[in-house]
Amino acid sequence: MDKGKIEKPETNVTGRVEPVEITEELRNSYLDYAMSVIVGRALPDVRDGLKPVHRRILWAMWESGLTHSAKYRKSANVVGDVLGRYHPHGDAAVYDAMGRMAQDFSLRYPLVDGQGNWGSVDGDSPAAMRYTECRLSALAEELLADIDKNTVDLVPNYDATRSEPKVLPSAVPHLLMNGADGIAVGMATKIPPHNLSELVLATTHLIDHPKATSEDLMEFVKGPDFPTGGIIYNRKEIVDAYVSGRGKITTRASAEIDEKKIVITEIPYQVNKAELITKIAELVQDKKVEGIRDLRDESDKEGLRIAIDLKNDAVPQKVLNQLWNYTDLQKDYHLNMLALSEGLKPRVMSIKDILSAFVEHRREVVRRRAEFDLARARERAHILEGLAKALDVIDKVIATIKKSKDKEEAHANLVKQFKLSDPQATAILEMRLQTLAALERKKIEDELKEKQKLIAELTLLLKSPEKISKVVKDELLKAEEKFGDERRTQVVASGLKEFRAEDLVPQEETIIMMSRDGYIKRMQPGSVKSQHRGGKGLIGGEVSESDVLAHLLRADTHDSILFFTDRGRVLQTKVYEIPIASRTAKGKAIHNFLELPPQEKVNAIITYGGDKNGAGYLVMATSGGMIKKTALKDFGNVRKSGIIAIALKKGDALKWVRLSSGKDEAILTTVKGQAIRFKELQVRPMGRTASGVRAIKLKSGDAVSSLDIVPAVDVDKAQLLVVMSNGFAKFTALKEYKVQGRGGQGILTAKVTEKTGKVVSAHVVVKETELFAASARGQIIRTKLASIRKTGRAAQGVRIMKVAAGDAIAGTACI
């Protein structure tokens, strides 16, 4: 034999063995093996999103009547059916595939309803198949519905004793709904799961607008929706990946910082929780991550929870950033949407390609189902026509049958004499005598009309591609109504920003103080000790003889802070950018942080966190009694030089700004002790350049002293705390202030005398427990709200602070 050749053990027609080049034989054999793996094992079909093993499991369970309403059956029984009938491979391969279809942390919408131990997110395998039980989930039946109506092709199984479907009818876009992972020869697929409701919206839009692009469809599909939740980042990269069929999507765990603790409630998809915890412990041991004191897995049947206790000197966000960096709490999902398309050819597909292939598949299923139903309806209508014809001449029919010597002759006589078809004659001979009753005859006539109507409808359907598309769309919407749910994975539009300055600042509560001349500082609430009501207070800041304390408020270090000037402009910075200082320090000039013209002064300060970013409204009030409401999102991009917040009338000044939901109540007080309470809905939302509407009608010499918001959810339990300039304060139940129409004079809220001084501020109190009050000369007191007496509207109140001669209360805050 020549070198480089082998004798192939095949014979030609003459029985002679033909030599074959070994390189050619290896090439052909490898290609045969590769295609076998690609088509028969590793890659899903774009039409139903299933690999052969998954399809055979579902088909075997369906064929055995193991629907979602049937009794559970031992998994070993189902695995045996699959192996013996359709999939002659190892039982472990079948059971592993079945196990994944039953895991709610692996599939977004499980196809197998499992009972028993089916594994865990810690990497535990399902219990042995003899212990677990299963049946189809309700959603899995949507993949198999109408398969008995010739909707898909059936092919012989491996030993030609049974038939199995080449593809399932699949009433939902399953490939994207549950995703797929597979490694073939020289190629791999990795398709993430998605939200069914979003997929249905995208698919119906594609049916209505066939020329829609992948970018258009991504307006409905926000990105992957993993069963384990988590967060995905960078909307632009996500869209690019779905347009090309390949790309990287950054995923993160859901983690919250709770004082000196990090709590993780969701982890990225396909991350092993036990291995993740072990990895964190190793990082702490190797001192790659510092600041962690303890690590616990507190997960239970209610959900996943990993608690990380931090040391007292640890910066929580810094520790979390290190965990993002070194562990799978942050992980890239490499999307590669490879599937078997027409002709079972592997192809990388965009989201439009996948949904278009699914829609074409469903159109074919609907068409074949309609043809099947039409054929059955015509067959039945033909029989009914024969029965109706016989009933019209029933006496002659009976006579003909009686004269015949046997069944065969009677059949022939009926066909000949009454011009019936063979099926009609057979149906007449099998007709029961009860059919002769009037009501039974009526049933036949009604059924015939019904079948004729159905035939007409199905005929029209088959003639109209538009009607077929409408059926596909309607069935998708029904499936979404039945199985659709809320998205689990949060989508963040912007990409990740590594180690921002904000991330390294501890997130904690702080007190902000600012003087009239613009000296500002922040300090920890604990730097002011709690005192009894009526004391002198402590030195809260050094102020010059010509300066007074003007603002006191509480905030979070990560909050955004808006500064509103007397001329109606607004400037913005971050709370952590304001330097921290001691209780007695003067602070830094506001001009160090903001481009504030010297002729303007800050009259109102508002802080808001990320949870309110873009949500809610800012309610503004002027000293002259005007009020205005503007959406908070209008202040999302404030320039360093400031932007307009309100257009002021001559002689008026912007003095107060508060956050609201848009459905709350507003309450304003005046320096002479009047108050008005009205529904916030009486103030319509306005643009930044609007001047507002009248809130209260002021008497001569009076002016607005405060504005506060009454949260709609807390109206019944809210109280109003009124503070006066000479150190007096009082509590009054909010219900004593009737809701009035906007623009009135209001009602009395405090008895203003020389002893009490004018009304400085009023706070709506619901859950707060302490009051911070600061005088114009820098004295500050912190006292329990419970020590302040509850009185009626006309009372003077009690002394909360002993104010020195020539001094007065300038600012207050409740926490």
Side-chain angles (χ1 to χ4, degrees):
M1 187 170 63
D2 293 340
K3 185 178 179 181
K5 293 188 178 181
I6 62 170
E7 290 191 356
K8 191 174 181 180
E10 293 182 4
T11 57
N12 56 20
V13 291
T14 63
R16 188 167 60 87
V17 176
E18 292 285 344
V20 179
E21 284 285 347
I22 189 170
T23 53
E24 181 183 347
E25 176 63 21
L26 288 173
R27 184 187 301 111
N28 293 336
S29 297
Y30 185 77
L31 287 174
D32 290 344
Y33 162 74
M35 287 307 298
S36 173
V37 172
I38 291 168
V39 176
R41 190 179 303 176
L43 298 185
D45 192 301
V46 70
R47 294 169 292 180
D48 63 4
L50 295 170
K51 301 176 187 177
V53 64
H54 301 114
R55 190 178 300 118
R56 286 165 177 167
I57 291 170
L58 298 180
W59 173 243
M61 294 173 76
W62 175 269
E63 201 177 33
S64 300
L66 203 54
T67 61
H68 79 281
S69 56
K71 284 186 177 181
Y72 288 99
R73 189 176 300 171
K74 285 290 184 184
S75 300
N77 189 314
V78 175
V79 171
D81 286 346
V82 175
L83 292 176
R85 297 176 184 177
Y86 307 111
H87 200 72
H89 297 274
D91 60 342
V94 174
Y95 188 51
D96 286 348
M98 184 193 297
R100 186 174 183 275
M101 289 196 290
Q103 294 170 342
D104 58 4
F105 54 87
S106 292
L107 263 65
R108 181 64 175 81
Y109 301 91
L111 302 179
V112 172
D113 180 7
Q115 185 168 261
N117 177 12
W118 286 90
S120 73
V121 73
D122 288 324
D124 301 317
S125 300
M129 67 180 79
R130 62 182 178 275
Y131 298 122
T132 60
E133 296 178 334
C134 64
R135 62 186 179 187
L136 289 172
S137 69
L139 181 56
E141 294 180 26
E142 295 294 319
L143 273 65
L144 291 146
D146 300 320
I147 199 169
D148 55 346
K149 292 187 176 183
N150 193 35
T151 50
V152 293
D153 293 334
L154 299 178
V155 295
N157 66 343
Y158 68 93
D159 61 357
T161 57
R162 291 174 175 272
S163 295
E164 62 175 310
K166 291 176 66 177
V167 66
L168 298 187
S170 189
V172 291
H174 180 257
L175 180 61
L176 290 174
M177 186 181 78
N178 271 329
D181 283 291
I183 300 174
V185 180
M187 59 185 70
T189 185
K190 196 170 183 66
I191 303 173
H194 297 81
N195 184 271
L196 176 59
S197 299
E198 293 180 0
L199 289 175
V200 169
L201 287 174
T203 309
T204 53
H205 180 80
L206 182 60
I207 292 172
D208 294 336
H209 306 87
K211 293 184 179 180
T213 63
S214 292
E215 288 90 343
D216 296 334
L217 299 179
M218 288 303 294
E219 293 297 319
F220 305 97
V221 179
K222 305 304 179 184
D225 189 22
F226 299 115
T228 52
I231 306 169
I232 57 176
Y233 290 85
N234 203 326
R235 174 71 177 163
K236 183 180 183 302
E237 286 188 1
I238 293 171
V239 173
D240 291 344
Y242 280 82
V243 171
S244 65
R246 286 194 178 101
K248 181 188 73 173
I249 297 173
T250 302
T251 67
R252 264 190 180 181
S254 292
E256 295 180 358
I257 296 174
D258 182 10
E259 296 182 353
K260 287 298 181 179
K261 181 188 290 185
I262 296 173
V263 179
I264 299 163
T265 53
E266 296 173 353
I267 60 177
Y269 184 50
Q270 296 176 333
V271 169
N272 185 307
K273 175 165 65 71
E275 292 180 0
L276 173 67
I277 293 173
T278 301
K279 177 65 175 178
I280 295 174
E282 290 174 353
L283 290 169
V284 174
Q285 190 173 7
D286 296 340
K287 296 186 177 180
K288 289 185 177 179
V289 174
E290 296 183 350
I292 294 179
R293 179 169 54 85
D294 192 19
L295 174 65
R296 296 184 307 281
D297 184 0
E298 299 178 350
S299 304
D300 55 21
K301 63 181 181 180
E302 300 298 325
L304 184 144
R305 180 183 170 91
I306 301 171
I308 302 173
D309 293 336
L310 304 178
K311 296 177 181 177
N312 292 333
D313 60 346
V315 179
Q317 191 61 55
K318 184 176 180 180
V319 175
L320 190 53
N321 273 338
Q322 292 174 329
L323 294 176
W324 296 143
N325 218 16
Y326 295 129
T327 73
D328 281 344
L329 286 177
Q330 178 176 317
K331 184 179 180 182
D332 290 335
Y333 186 96
H334 295 276
L335 178 142
N336 186 33
M337 298 201 292
L338 179 72
L340 299 174
S341 59
E342 62 279 349
L344 297 180
K345 296 177 182 177
R347 185 163 69 95
V348 175
M349 311 172 82
S350 67
I351 187 171
K352 180 181 180 179
D353 294 334
I354 293 175
L355 292 181
S356 296
F358 167 74
V359 170
E360 286 306 311
H361 173 58
R362 284 302 296 169
R363 287 187 178 125
E364 178 67 11
V365 167
V366 170
R367 184 189 63 78
R368 292 179 63 160
R369 183 182 64 197
E371 289 175 347
F372 179 89
D373 289 340
L374 179 59
R376 296 297 177 271
R378 283 173 173 168
E379 289 174 5
R380 181 59 181 163
H382 183 65
I383 297 297
L384 293 171
E385 287 169 353
L387 294 177
K389 189 174 182 180
L391 289 173
D392 289 339
V393 290
I394 191 62
D395 293 334
K396 293 181 180 179
V397 169
I398 293 173
T400 300
I401 295 172
K402 287 175 67 177
K403 290 177 182 178
S404 304
K405 65 179 181 179
D406 55 24
K407 182 180 178 180
E408 288 73 20
E409 186 177 326
H411 185 281
N413 290 337
L414 287 173
V415 171
K416 181 178 180 181
Q417 186 170 344
F418 299 101
K419 296 182 180 179
L420 300 171
S421 66
D422 287 343
Q424 288 175 327
T426 300
I428 291 169
L429 289 172
E430 293 175 352
M431 184 173 62
R432 295 183 179 183
L433 289 175
Q434 68 185 25
T435 309
L436 302 178
L439 288 177
E440 294 298 323
R441 294 183 64 175
K442 182 72 166 53
K443 286 182 181 178
I444 291 175
E445 293 171 358
D446 290 344
E447 186 183 356
L448 178 58
K449 290 179 182 178
E450 182 184 334
K451 294 299 179 185
Q452 290 171 340
K453 180 181 178 182
L454 178 61
I455 289 168
E457 291 175 353
L458 292 173
T459 302
L460 286 174
L461 175 64
L462 288 169
K463 289 181 179 179
S464 172
E466 291 78 14
K467 288 183 180 294
I468 290 176
S469 294
K470 185 178 185 306
V471 172
V472 173
K473 181 178 175 181
D474 291 344
E475 291 178 351
L476 273 170
L477 293 172
K478 286 181 182 178
E480 190 276 331
E481 183 179 352
K482 191 174 180 181
F483 300 104
D485 58 4
E486 294 295 323
R487 164 174 279 277
R488 296 182 189 176
T489 300
Q490 179 185 347
V491 181
V492 177
S494 60
L496 290 170
K497 295 180 181 178
E498 294 295 332
F499 296 96
R500 299 169 299 173
E502 179 179 339
D503 296 336
L504 302 178
V505 175
Q507 187 170 3
E508 58 189 11
E509 193 176 72
T510 187
I511 296 291
I512 296 173
M513 296 176 65
M514 184 174 171
S515 71
R516 183 185 62 191
D517 288 348
Y519 286 91
I520 189 169
K521 68 177 180 178
R522 65 181 171 96
M523 60 184 185
Q524 295 180 345
S527 61
V528 181
K529 295 181 180 179
S530 182
Q531 294 179 272
H532 293 296
R533 174 179 62 81
K536 291 184 178 180
L538 302 170
I539 296 295
E542 297 178 358
V543 291
S544 64
E545 292 185 2
S546 60
D547 196 7
V548 295
L549 191 66
H551 303 283
L552 175 69
L553 69 155
R554 64 186 178 95
D556 188 282
T557 50
H558 285 195
D559 286 351
S560 295
I561 182 167
L562 296 173
F563 297 86
F564 294 85
T565 73
D566 56 345
R567 299 195 177 184
R569 294 194 317 117
V570 58
L571 302 95
Q572 184 177 26
T573 186
K574 285 284 189 179
V575 169
Y576 65 78
E577 292 180 351
I578 298 170
I580 192 166
S582 67
R583 176 173 54 85
T584 58
K586 183 178 182 179
K588 298 290 183 181
I590 191 69
H591 300 87
N592 293 331
F593 318 103
L594 304 174
E595 297 179 14
L596 183 67
Q599 67 272 21
E600 290 186 55
K601 69 174 185 176
V602 174
N603 270 356
I605 304 175
I606 279 291
T607 64
Y608 65 93
D611 58 330
K612 292 180 180 177
N613 192 10
Y617 295 87
L618 288 178
V619 179
M620 309 173 204
T622 70
S623 56
M626 301 298 287
I627 192 169
K628 173 189 169 183
K629 180 170 71 176
T630 302
L632 178 59
K633 64 182 180 181
D634 290 353
F635 298 89
N637 295 306
V638 178
R639 296 187 298 270
K640 284 190 176 183
S641 58
I643 59 174
I644 190 72
I646 184 174
L648 295 169
K649 295 180 179 179
K650 188 176 181 180
D652 204 358
L654 175 62
K655 294 293 291 289
W656 300 273
V657 183
R658 295 288 185 269
L659 281 166
S660 78
S661 68
K663 299 179 181 179
D664 301 323
E665 294 178 358
I667 187 164
L668 289 86
T669 61
T670 72
V671 296
K672 290 188 176 182
Q674 292 294 107
I676 188 169
R677 173 188 174 191
F678 55 85
K679 296 285 186 183
E680 186 191 334
L681 292 174
Q682 293 186 28
V683 183
R684 62 178 178 82
M686 307 175 193
R688 289 189 297 103
T689 57
S691 58
V693 293
R694 183 167 299 281
I696 186 170
K697 188 175 181 181
L698 298 171
K699 295 180 180 179
S700 176
D702 203 357
V704 176
S705 62
S706 73
L707 159 73
D708 209 352
I709 297 298
V710 187
V713 295
D714 298 319
V715 170
D716 295 335
K717 52 187 177 182
Q719 300 181 83
L720 189 68
L721 173 66
V722 178
V723 181
M724 287 160 275
S725 61
N726 290 345
F728 284 79
K730 70 183 190 70
F731 262 132
T732 305
L734 191 68
K735 61 184 178 182
E736 292 195 26
Y737 297 84
K738 64 180 180 179
V739 178
Q740 300 177 265
R742 174 182 56 78
Q745 293 184 349
I747 57 178
L748 188 67
T749 186
K751 187 176 180 181
V752 174
T753 65
E754 290 186 5
K755 176 183 175 182
T756 63
K758 296 178 180 180
V759 174
V760 173
S761 63
H763 299 275
V764 175
V765 176
V766 180
K767 300 176 183 177
E768 292 80 358
T769 59
E770 292 185 312
L771 169 69
F772 283 78
S775 76
R777 294 301 178 195
Q779 292 293 115
I780 184 168
I781 193 168
R782 174 183 179 184
T783 188
K784 298 288 185 184
L785 288 175
S787 66
I788 301 175
R789 186 185 309 160
K790 296 175 177 61
T791 63
R793 287 188 293 105
Q796 291 185 354
V798 295
R799 187 183 299 276
I800 60 166
M801 184 177 182
K802 193 173 182 181
V803 179
D807 200 1
I809 297 289
T812 57
C814 293
I815 62 170

